[in-house]
Amino acid sequence: MTDWLSRAAGRVRASFDNGVRALRERPVSVARATAEFALRWALRIALPLGGAAAMLTLFPYHATAAGAHFRVQGSVLSRPSLSADTSFGSWTFPHVDGLPVGVHITPLNVDLVKMAGAAASDPQAYADRLRDDLAGQVPAITAWLVGEMLIGIALGLLVAAAINLAVRQVRGRRRREHELRHRLRQGGAAVAVLVVVALVGALTYQPVWARRSRVNGTLATLQLFPDQLGQYYDQRAKALDVLNAIAAIQSSLQQRIARPDQPPTAFNIMFISDMHLGSTYPLVAQYARSFNIKLIVNTGDEAEFGTRAEMTPTYLDQLRDVTKIAPMIWLAGNHDSPATVAVMRSVPDVVVVGTKTAGPGGGYLIGAQQLDAFGLRLAAVPDPRVYGGTGEFGAEDDASVNPLEQNAVDSAVKGVTKDSQFDIFATHEPVAVDQLRKKLPGQIRQTIAGHLHRQNSDSSVQKGNSINLVEGSTGAGGLDQLNRGLPQTPIEFSIESVAASCEFTTLVRFQITGTAPESAGAVTSDDLPQVSASTQYLRSQKIDPPRHCGTELGLTPPGPL
């Protein structure tokens, strides 16, 4: 073995020396040979991949489940996920493994009325039958798709070899000695690559892939307006029963696939942020009713310039309609002045957490506060800035903002003892979140911030036992976007379920682009809003000692940390 390694190392060293010598003596020839080598291997890689993609696309597997016919199609590079596509939208699981390979299920010639009739009496039983029928065909589907990929790769390699031989023939080159042996080595290399790909797939496979999914199209819109949208379709398309059945099937499948052991929900929390006087509170009210929201957490930037005048009676009436449904915990952002804080304190069922007052030299003084909400310990620290303020208190560059935010957090939590625990700690700036976790390590279960006008990625939501949310602009940027001359951002918000054990169990995050409907009656058949909803089943958190959460526990007044 040692002699073989020594000989192999000698051959590699000799080849390297010869290559360096040739590059010095014949640079043009070496460059041409290098380009030919790169092109040859590009064909050897691209053609097998193209062959696999073509086979998967041209020859799908046809399955039958619960009396419905489905097409199961694979993909390479283009859609690396597991998805179910329907005329009502798609349901996608994007985190199965690290391979650029996808599997997509599409119903064929489905009689929706017939399917709705079969599911209407017991949607969960129908969903179970559908799932079991498809699960029973998984081995056959897997064998079919893998076989197609192997055939496609083999055909691609044969085409690459044929092109190579044809080029050699045209250029008048002699046939290699031991041509068969050379091709067998290439085939062996291809098999080795397939083995490596399979190992990568096995190593990157995520057993909890079903806990993260994304729904878009009408399926997502159904989650926004389950009652009103049904009425809309009943009036305009006579398909109420069909939509209800499809929504029930989708919901039952997702619940059974993702986490059958999930504890029952005690109440739901909605997270919103950065309204910026945007007229979307009617939409927030609809969401709150549809999802039986019991608590709303708003991480600030209600206003634009921080004046009382901009908080118009119409805007405040819309806000009051929301707080009649669920109380709102609110904290001041960097566009909210002490005047904004005073206005928000005057709105019934808005609980302002954290203090913000005018300080010396045109600055602002802030203080953190906490309260108990339905059994959860919730704390908040406002943003020390106001848009248009003097000096660092109106700054937007990181060099000025970051130290100000960090110092404000340090001052706000300096009296917190090491045995204090917080279920949710809210602030406005993500920079402040980083400082909170630094100053209170292991003492915060979940943080929530806003300011960036975009949600953080699903993959960054839960790290270990810690949950971190950054909410987008629920007001679609509002007057802030207009003031800065920026295009409207998506309307974004999140809904989190809390179990009776005080665990955070499920997170549904919505993004809406285009014109946001205020009700189903505002939706036209030609222009449904572009809605996507991602569902994430959160890993169980360690809560010690055992606790109880429920709406019967109510809210306590805010007090100092």
Side-chain angles (χ1 to χ4, degrees), residues 115-135:
M115 178 183 280
S121 59
D122 192 345
Q124 185 166 308
Y126 185 86
D128 289 343
R129 180 185 166 198
L130 188 66
R131 186 197 66 231
D132 293 342
D133 286 354
L134 284 174

Side-chain angles (χ1 to χ4, degrees), residues 214-217 220-221 223-224 455 491 493 508-513 529-534:
R214 180 171 292 273
V215 182
N216 59 30
T221 309
Q223 297 185 53
L224 295 180
Q455 294 173 329
I491 295 172
F493 66 95
V508 183
R509 313 185 84 185
F510 285 96
Q511 304 87 34
I512 309 172
T513 57
Q530 297 300 305
V531 182
S532 64
S534 62

Side-chain angles (χ1 to χ4, degrees), residues 372-388:
D372 288 339
F374 306 148
L376 295 174
R377 176 60 55 85
L378 192 148
V381 56
D383 196 296
R385 296 174 295 153
V386 172
Y387 187 68

Side-chain angles (χ1 to χ4, degrees), residues 259 263-267 269 271 372-378 422-424 444-446 462 465 467 496-506 538-553:
R259 191 169 170 180
T265 297
F267 59 91
I269 303 176
F271 295 104
D372 288 339
F374 306 148
L376 295 174
R377 176 60 55 85
L378 192 148
F422 303 95
D423 295 301
I424 299 176
I444 304 172
R445 287 177 58 207
Q446 176 171 299
Q462 189 172 24
N465 202 40
I467 300 170
E496 187 174 57
S497 297
V498 182
S501 63
C502 299
E503 283 195 74
F504 304 120
T505 57
T506 308
L538 302 170
R539 293 189 298 276
S540 178
Q541 304 107 53
K542 298 176 181 178
I543 299 179
D544 190 38
R547 294 168 51 193
H548 172 72
C549 284
T551 55
E552 72 279 3
L553 299 177

